[in-house]
Amino acid sequence: MTRSTEKVYVRKPNNPFKVKYAETFFDIWSKHSSYGKIKKKNGFGNTWKTANYKGDRDKKYKMPTTDGQYGFRVYPYTSRRELEVGWLSDKYQVGKRFSKFTNYHMGDIDRAESKIHPDRNLGEFYRYIACMADIGLTDYILVRSSHSEGLHVYFPLKESVKSWGLADKISKHLKANGFEIKSGQLELFPNCKRTRDALYQGHRLPLQPESGSFILNDEFQAVSNSTFDFVERWEACNNELKFAENGLEKWELGIDSENGE
């Protein structure tokens, strides 16, 4: 058999910052289908725009979801490559919305306003961490979200669960322990939705070049902006939700049903 000498070219995303990054970093955000959310940097302030990769000329374009059973229609899913291209872009910051399943939970704590930011009340921050540990979320990755120095606290899950059930149960658990769930204080991702056909709120991906995002240590000092370090920490987390306690029923979280509903 004659071996082909034809070269195969693999198109790589443009990398204007010339940063080294772990490709497995994007597998985290695209493990479950998600909806892209793009922030324009060129004069549009903090305006977020849900990505429509079928073309923004058709503002009314929607497509059926393949990630649910209720027949509602949503914006097209964002691919792993589109997240990677957006993360590397010098014109945009990229984020994601959640779909039916999620492999993590994240808490967003604002530095300027939040009563549980460690700069304002260290005791309340650790009470929040202890409250999450009560339901099995003991391992987390602490990230400075941007130059604003807000905190994103990531809790990777050992086993993926339904976004709807996770959002509902964690929100109720934190509220029962006296935490205020709202913008500026403590936002939860995925968030509780009023209706099942509404889109989840989106959050920016961590560690984007020149975004001011860093991994923090236990003393809240910036130690790395490396995606390799983030992936290593992610894989070391061993969170498993407690189902028998605090009303976290298995059926509501969809355990064991992900691959066959």
Side-chain angles (χ1 to χ4, degrees):
M1 179 181 290
T2 304
R3 189 172 181 177
S4 174
T5 58
E6 183 180 354
K7 292 183 179 180
V8 176
Y9 293 94
V10 178
R11 184 183 175 192
K12 294 289 185 180
N14 183 34
N15 186 354
F17 299 105
K18 308 301 180 186
V19 295
K20 293 183 179 179
Y21 61 96
E23 293 191 359
T24 51
F25 175 77
F26 300 99
D27 295 333
I28 291 172
W29 319 111
S30 58
K31 179 176 181 179
H32 301 292
S33 49
S34 61
Y35 315 112
K37 197 172 168 74
I38 304 296
K39 180 182 178 183
K40 291 193 174 182
K41 287 184 176 179
N42 50 355
F44 286 85
N46 292 323
T47 300
W48 284 88
K49 176 184 177 185
T50 300
N52 184 338
Y53 288 101
K54 285 294 183 180
D56 291 327
R57 289 172 297 179
D58 183 1
K59 299 295 184 181
K60 295 181 180 180
Y61 178 83
K62 301 286 182 72
M63 67 179 290
T65 178
T66 57
D67 201 33
Q69 56 188 355
Y70 299 99
F72 58 88
R73 302 170 80 83
V74 296
Y75 284 94
Y77 293 132
T78 302
S79 70
R80 178 193 178 283
R81 174 179 170 78
E82 286 158 343
L83 289 174
E84 185 177 1
V85 169
W87 189 89
L88 287 166
S89 172
D90 58 351
K91 296 182 175 62
Y92 302 94
Q93 287 191 24
V94 68
K96 64 162 287 182
R97 295 183 189 270
F98 295 82
S99 54
K100 189 169 186 179
F101 284 93
T102 180
N103 52 325
Y104 67 96
H105 170 81
M106 190 267 280
D108 181 1
I109 302 171
D110 186 76
R111 183 180 184 273
E113 299 181 34
S114 178
K115 298 174 183 177
I116 70 168
H117 192 282
D119 285 354
R120 188 180 297 263
N121 193 325
L122 186 60
E124 274 297 278
F125 173 79
Y126 282 121
R127 192 171 75 84
Y128 158 67
I129 294 298
C131 192
M132 298 298 284
D134 287 342
I135 55 173
L137 300 181
T138 57
D139 298 335
Y140 61 92
I141 305 171
L142 192 60
V143 173
R144 189 174 78 186
S145 61
S146 66
H147 293 293
S148 68
E149 300 186 7
L151 297 181
H152 283 180
V153 189
Y154 289 92
F155 297 89
L157 299 176
K158 186 176 179 180
E159 193 171 9
S160 295
V161 299
K162 285 183 178 178
S163 301
W164 176 277
L166 182 69
D168 177 65
K169 294 304 178 184
I170 289 184
S171 178
K172 287 178 179 177
H173 176 64
L174 289 171
K175 286 180 178 178
N177 283 273
F179 291 98
E180 188 177 15
I181 311 301
K182 72 173 188 177
S183 177
Q185 292 298 321
L186 174 61
E187 288 189 270
L188 306 180
F189 297 85
N191 63 295
C192 287
K193 301 190 299 179
R194 292 185 179 181
T195 60
R196 289 183 182 270
D197 58 348
L199 289 176
Y200 288 100
Q201 290 181 347
H203 70 83
R204 72 186 69 195
L205 267 58
L207 309 181
Q208 295 181 65
E210 298 193 353
S211 67
S213 179
F214 281 85
I215 300 170
L216 305 180
N217 62 17
D218 291 340
E219 286 74 42
F220 309 102
Q221 298 171 331
V223 292
S224 174
N225 61 354
S226 165
T227 56
F228 294 95
D229 291 344
F230 188 90
V231 170
E232 184 178 4
R233 291 167 186 249
W234 187 281
E235 292 176 346
C237 291
N238 194 35
N239 290 319
E240 191 166 7
L241 288 160
K242 296 178 182 178
F243 305 108
E245 303 172 25
N246 301 297
L248 289 172
E249 293 86 356
K250 231 178 182 183
W251 68 270
E252 286 187 280
L253 292 170
I255 302 300
D256 301 326
S257 66
E258 178 185 346
N259 296 318
E261 297 179 59

